[in-house]
Amino acid sequence: MTNTKTEIGRRIRNFRIANNLTQAQLAESLDISTNFVSEVETGKKNISLEILYRICQSYNLSADYILFGKDHSCSSQHTLSEFLFSLPADDIPTIIEYLEASMKLKKLEEEKAL
């Protein structure tokens, strides 16, 4: 089974390289250390929800892509439930936190648009 941290790190690295960013440039734009970027990309560290939010906002990326490797338009309820059931139990609270934060953000954006 593939390590979730490694997969997320690989997707962040692929994005960074595809956009001609160095680890230092990405780190600076997200207000984190270059060492942390390296450790995330190699799967040694988890990305926090705050950093996930910053990278998505700063680079107009889908969290679905970073977390699941799929564009949000390709995600389906079936795919999401398969993913959740494949996770170790201790990863699920982090995913729930992310989903709750995402729902709150969407609600705030909708209220701001009114």
Side-chain angles (χ1 to χ4, degrees), residues 68 75-85 95 99:
F68 308 114
S75 294
S76 69
Q77 185 177 1
H78 182 68
T79 303
L80 179 58
S81 61
E82 284 179 353
F83 176 79
L84 290 173
F85 283 114
I95 299 299
L99 292 173

Side-chain angles (χ1 to χ4, degrees), residues 61-97:
L61 275 176
S62 164
D64 287 339
Y65 168 71
I66 294 172
L67 294 174
F68 308 114
K70 298 181 183 216
D71 185 304
H72 69 281
S73 62
C74 299
S75 294
S76 69
Q77 185 177 1
H78 182 68
T79 303
L80 179 58
S81 61
E82 284 179 353
F83 176 79
L84 290 173
F85 283 114
S86 72
L87 287 175
D90 58 342
D91 285 352
I92 294 188
T94 302
I95 299 299
I96 291 171
E97 270 185 50

